[in-house]
Amino acid sequence: MNNSGPSTLQTAFCGLKFNSPIVLLSGCVGFGEEYTRVSGFSNRDAGAVCLKGTTLEPRLGNQPHRVYETPDGMLNAIGLQNPGVDHVINEILPSLDFTETRFIANVSGSTVEEYFEVTRRFDDSPIDAIEINISCPNVKQGGVAFGNDPAMSARVVEACRKATRKPLITKLSPNQTDIAANAKGCIEAGSDAFAVINTLMGMAIDIDSRTPLIGNNQGGLSGPAIKPVALLKVHQVYQVCRDHNIPIIGQGGIASAEDALEFMIAGASAVGVGTALFYDPLICKTINTGIMRYMERHKLQSVDQLVGTLQLNQQPTAKCGC
Ligand SMILES: Cc1cc2nc3c(=O)[nH]c(=O)nc-3n(C[C@H](O)[C@H](O)[C@H](O)COP(=O)(O)O)c2cc1C
């Protein structure tokens, strides 16, 4: 693994040139402008920025409260609030600086037809890649209902594949029995890459009123609390991606360079940062610096040399930890 020569954070993901393996995650950066007013923040610190989940028609989202802080994480149930695909394409994309970073659309829908149509419209736009969100736990129809059913997941991917030749990234749900089997079906249906994982379903209760603290009753748990779950899911999905050269954007609780490195060693070619941005909008600089130091210390030229280098312990792995 040792090489000579300068280290670089640059990497290629589905043929797209990334400045860094970091991807700013959907729902945590609005439509690419969210943190640009924060002094010192730059989209250039990320390899790509994933836009907020977008549907065919505008959506107002769920009733409040939409977010709730938990130990080492947060619950959210935004309900895919967005201005609709045409507004995103006509009003927002022209305002984004495509010289800074790559922009990825995040497509959602209530029907297979809606996923197809939103993807088709993004195909005819400057967007660099399209992420299919079949794992949103905060909407009544579509979302995780599709993502937890392998046959439905494949149907959505197949439909979106017909709508675009741009890189297609399928965002997988952790709220399902066999994430690797689902990934396999999505590869056969035409997925070029995966985002692993979306939020885990959770709940918080006000003990005085005995009511849920989230307006939607339940929400998606994100942040450092979910990192161990996310790492295992990346490891599992990597087992089916490795032979097909399908890259993964690993995500779930990444808040340091060490976290990002763990995800790459487990099999992620790029690493997503979401919840951590809410309390440290400049965290990408810290993570980039830390990854660079690690690469120099280990004499690595490229982060690609780290991907999937996990060496498992030799004893058989029990399926449960009891
Ligand atoms: C407030 C909020 C909104 C989100 N909205 C979306 C969304 O619109 N589409 C999507 O695919 N994921 C969405 N996510 C999930 C994140 O993109 C990410 O997959 C997840 O939070 C795990 O990463 P993290 O622990 O670094 O936040 C959202 C997460 C949060 C916290």
Side-chain angles (χ1 to χ4, degrees), residues 132-137 143-149 153 170-180 182 194-201 229 233 237:
I132 321 172
N133 177 11
I134 48 167
S135 44
C136 179
V144 84
F146 287 165
N148 288 349
D149 176 340
S153 302
T170 308
K171 187 156 179 178
L172 296 175
S173 164
N175 305 298
Q176 59 179 316
T177 314
D178 191 344
I179 195 170
N182 193 324
F194 290 105
V196 182
I197 56 174
N198 208 321
T199 53
L200 282 151
M201 282 181 185
V229 178
K233 301 293 174 194
V237 173

Side-chain angles (χ1 to χ4, degrees), residues 5-322:
S7 306
T8 172
L9 287 173
Q10 284 187 359
T11 186
F13 189 90
C14 285
L16 300 170
K17 197 178 132 203
F18 279 14
N19 303 327
S20 147
I22 297 177
V23 175
L24 306 188
L25 294 177
S26 181
C28 304
V29 283
F31 283 93
E33 82 303 352
E34 188 104 334
Y35 293 104
T36 51
R37 288 176 301 274
V38 175
S39 169
F41 176 88
S42 171
N43 280 336
R44 288 182 196 279
D45 294 328
V49 174
C50 214
L51 307 184
K52 175 65 188 168
T54 302
T55 49
L56 194 56
E57 301 297 335
R59 282 177 66 107
L60 289 173
N62 292 331
Q63 58 176 306
H65 296 294
R66 293 171 165 197
V67 292
Y68 179 73
E69 192 170 342
T70 63
D72 245 354
M74 70 185 275
L75 281 171
N76 92 79
I78 309 297
L80 289 175
Q81 181 183 350
N82 78 92
V85 64
D86 290 338
H87 181 90
V88 174
I89 291 172
N90 298 326
E91 308 295 331
I92 297 177
L93 295 193
S95 70
L96 298 177
D97 185 349
F98 279 76
T99 66
E100 288 188 331
T101 190
R102 307 274 55 83
F103 288 100
I104 302 173
N106 181 271
V107 169
S108 282
S110 305
T111 60
V112 176
E113 291 72 27
E114 185 177 357
Y115 277 98
F116 170 85
E117 188 54 27
V118 178
T119 303
R120 191 187 67 76
R121 295 194 194 185
F122 272 121
D123 183 61
D124 200 18
S125 84
I127 206 80
D128 292 299
I130 296 167
E131 181 173 81
I132 321 172
N133 177 11
I134 48 167
S135 44
C136 179
N138 302 324
V139 285
K140 286 198 180 70
Q141 291 168 301
V144 84
F146 287 165
N148 288 349
D149 176 340
M152 277 310 294
S153 302
R155 269 191 62 197
V156 174
V157 174
E158 196 180 9
C160 295
R161 180 74 289 166
K162 286 187 185 136
T164 186
R165 298 178 73 172
K166 295 192 189 227
L168 206 52
I169 305 159
T170 308
K171 187 156 179 178
L172 296 175
S173 164
N175 305 298
Q176 59 179 316
T177 314
D178 191 344
I179 195 170
N182 193 324
K184 204 159 173 272
C186 291
I187 293 172
E188 283 157 15
S191 189
D192 297 310
F194 290 105
V196 182
I197 56 174
N198 208 321
T199 53
L200 282 151
M201 282 181 185
M203 194 183 223
I205 294 172
D206 179 329
I207 55 169
D208 289 322
S209 64
R210 302 187 193 177
T211 55
L213 281 155
I214 290 278
N216 186 50
N217 295 326
Q218 64 182 53
L221 181 65
S222 61
I226 72 168
K227 196 192 93 180
V229 178
L231 263 179
L232 178 62
K233 301 293 174 194
V234 168
H235 167 66
Q236 290 170 337
V237 173
Y238 180 67
Q239 305 314 305
V240 293
C241 287
R242 194 175 31 197
D243 298 337
H244 300 272
N245 257 332
I246 301 268
I248 299 169
I249 308 173
Q251 58 200 269
I254 295 179
S256 68
E258 290 73 20
D259 293 340
L261 290 161
E262 277 187 80
F263 274 84
M264 287 189 267
I265 292 166
S269 298
V271 285
V273 179
T275 300
L277 289 165
F278 291 122
Y279 58 85
D280 183 358
L282 305 184
I283 200 163
C284 293
K285 286 188 198 303
T286 317
I287 295 177
N288 280 334
T289 306
I291 296 175
M292 197 59 146
R293 286 205 185 116
Y294 177 91
M295 288 169 66
E296 284 163 0
R297 197 152 33 94
H298 289 265
K299 300 196 169 30
L300 299 174
Q301 286 167 288
S302 157
V303 284
D304 303 347
Q305 292 168 282
L306 266 178
V307 178
T309 52
L310 178 67
Q311 293 177 40
L312 291 174
N313 297 324
Q314 284 315 305
Q315 66 266 38
T317 311
K319 288 273 186 270
C320 79
C322 319

